[in-house]
Amino acid sequence: RVHGERMRSSVVVGGILVACVAACSRKWILNRIRSALETTSRGTVRAHTFRLNPGQELKSQMCEFVKTKGIQAGFVLTCVGSLSKATLRLANASKDNKNEIINLNERFEIVSLVGTISANGCHLHIALADLNGNTIGGHVMGGCTVFTTAEVVIGECIGITYKREMDSVTGFPELVVC
């Protein structure tokens, strides 16, 4: 509760507005997401849920999960949890200066994690809140150590493949949808 009111959030998924009250059960939320994501323009969407434990590295474990499950076109539906360390690339990185990286060594709540992920590579951005509620975010570089838990839900677009190819304009491996 914030000032006596229920916190509400909404998200547009597959062109459908899904509203969630923070106090809702996980089962209800997952059922709403599942019904909103029944099909894509090219096929079905499946949800995969897993939990990471203290000390595990967020990005590498997510990539390993996707490879193990053979997910060819995934996206982060949600992630809640906390980190004790994080390594992020900030938004000022460019083709010529890719190393604008910060290392954070304190406890953070994961307030948002978004991105595309497949057996062929991943692109993740995260927003973190510190003990005062201040947020910082950026491109996940690895080195993000789980503090208490990370509960991850990944959507999988069946019938689509995500690949990454080097883009000569940006200087980064960019998404190619097949």
Side-chain angles (χ1 to χ4, degrees), residues 99-122:
N99 295 317
E100 296 294 324
I101 295 173
I102 58 171
N103 294 297
L104 306 167
N105 291 299
E106 60 183 287
R107 295 177 184 164
F108 292 97
E109 287 291 325
I110 300 169
V111 295
S112 179
L113 178 64
V114 298
T116 54
I117 187 165
S118 77
N120 300 309
C122 66

Side-chain angles (χ1 to χ4, degrees), residues 81-84 86 88 104 106-112 126-137:
S82 60
L83 301 178
S84 59
L88 308 176
L104 306 167
E106 60 183 287
R107 295 177 184 164
F108 292 97
E109 287 291 325
I110 300 169
V111 295
S112 179
I126 197 167
L128 303 169
D130 68 14
L131 64 96
N132 296 311
N134 299 312
T135 58
I136 188 164

